[in-house]
Amino acid sequence: MMERHRMLKESQIMKIHYITGIAAIFVVAVHILMRLIVPFGSSLEYDYIISNYKNIFYVFILESILVLISIHGFNGIRIILLV
Amino acid sequence: MINSNENNKDEKKIVLKIFRENTAQKTDSHYDTFNVPYKKWTTVLDALLYVKSYMDPSVAIRYSCRMASCGSCGMKINGIPRLACYTKISELETSTIECEPLPNLPVIRDLVTDFSRFFNHHKNIQPYIQSKDGVDDPDTEKKTFSFYQSPDEVDKYLQFSYCIKCGLCYSACPTVGTDLKFPGPQALAQLYRYYADTRDETKNRLDIVDDRHGIWRCHFAGSCSKVCPKGVDPALGIQLLRSYMLGISKNDKKLAEKNEIQTDEESI
């Protein structure tokens, strides 16, 4: 029943799972809101996109989405495959 | 009990469909149908015993107390895990009653299932109060203690101590249906029962179920709590345990004060 020699306890993994899930919802919501406040035509302009990628906050949000969803998603797949 | 010769105007008949299978003889599973008389207070167990007495003595059922105390007569009645002795035919409000063995447990014969796995999960959670004295002191067997608990302390675990180990929650659990290593709602609720008990001094009790097939695999379907004949809420116990494991709730359990009792043997 009890598993030893594991890096993380299941409760620690699940804590990370829940935190990444909730944080992912938050950053995705921010990302969508940032898209919505700019008209679609101007959002595709070269200068606008370059300025976005020079904005450290915007880059941080995008990278956060990637990292959080990866951790949450891969752990979700692990749970599904456990059975 | 129903009397077959009794000619009563109140007596109606019900169609009882009973699942039949003999794993020892490797017979194919099928349903046998019986027309059984019943009255308004007749339980499904009464009807099954009527079949066994007057129609087909080979029907296998497990029962004992007939008063929802022993938890022996659990079976799936009209698709829901219930105690046969605690289910009145008149309350089911159907013309046909289908009796099947409990799901998630191997069938031995007809309505009798093998509870070995269920009890092993129960045993794994160490379902007993452990005291430091009980482990360290070699003379403990000679000592008897009385514990002082406030009503509030008792309230924390009392409902979980009503569990009769009937296995209905285990058979209703969708997680058990897909993962047999999952301890099941009964074992997890009992773990909470001992974890919350101020007489218990076990350290790391939560670690027992903190593994990949442990408490975190509960989907919180809540079917365990719905089928419990004793009003226990295993789903609540599981969520409370999780909140302790996540650190949302802190276990500020103050161990019960204990006093040694002089036994008759010692006083002599």
Side-chain angles (χ1 to χ4, degrees), chain B residues 99-146:
Chain B
C99 295
E100 296 165 298
L102 286 175
N104 299 342
L105 293 162
V107 176
I108 296 172
R109 209 182 104 185
D110 300 345
L111 303 173
V112 180
T113 46
D114 183 2
F115 269 56
S116 309
R117 194 173 57 229
F118 171 79
F119 285 126
N120 279 338
H121 283 307
H122 180 62
K123 195 179 163 189
N124 282 339
I125 59 107
Q126 301 168 10
Y128 38 85
I129 287 165
Q130 296 178 59
S131 156
K132 274 181 190 168
D133 298 317
V135 177
D136 301 328
D137 190 344
D139 296 328
T140 305
E141 284 179 17
K142 293 176 185 172
K143 291 179 184 174
T144 309
F145 295 100
S146 66

Side-chain angles (χ1 to χ4, degrees), chain A residues 1-3 6 9-12 14-15 18 78-79 82-83, chain B residues 178-179 183 207-213 216-217 242 245-246:
Chain A
M1 189 70 191
M2 203 186 326
E3 289 176 14
R6 297 192 67 197
K9 282 182 178 181
E10 192 69 14
S11 56
Q12 292 168 319
M14 291 311 290
K15 209 179 276 186
Y18 294 146
R78 180 192 70 95
I79 291 167
L82 267 179
V83 178
Chain B
T178 54
D179 183 1
D207 288 347
I208 300 168
V209 291
D210 194 6
D211 74 353
R212 61 174 79 172
H213 295 283
W216 301 101
R217 299 291 82 84
R242 279 179 165 185
M245 292 168 104
L246 286 174

Side-chain angles (χ1 to χ4, degrees), chain B residues 19-23 25-32 110:
Chain B
F19 179 88
R20 307 300 303 271
E21 185 182 3
N22 191 337
T23 49
Q25 292 182 354
K26 294 179 182 171
T27 55
D28 289 337
S29 61
H30 63 279
Y31 288 85
D32 281 345
D110 300 345

Side-chain angles (χ1 to χ4, degrees), chain B residues 170-235:
Chain B
Y170 187 82
S171 67
C173 177
T175 308
V176 174
T178 54
D179 183 1
L180 295 176
K181 290 179 187 166
F182 179 66
Q186 187 275 337
L188 292 170
Q190 287 308 293
L191 185 90
Y192 176 75
R193 178 252 176 277
Y194 289 98
Y195 184 71
D197 195 322
T198 55
R199 293 169 295 179
D200 186 70
E201 296 175 44
T202 317
K203 284 182 180 172
N204 307 323
R205 193 181 268 280
L206 295 182
D207 288 347
I208 300 168
V209 291
D210 194 6
D211 74 353
R212 61 174 79 172
H213 295 283
I215 189 168
W216 301 101
R217 299 291 82 84
C218 169
H219 302 160
F220 199 40
S223 48
C224 50
S225 302
K226 276 185 195 165
V227 298
C228 180
K230 304 304 281 184
V232 181
D233 190 353

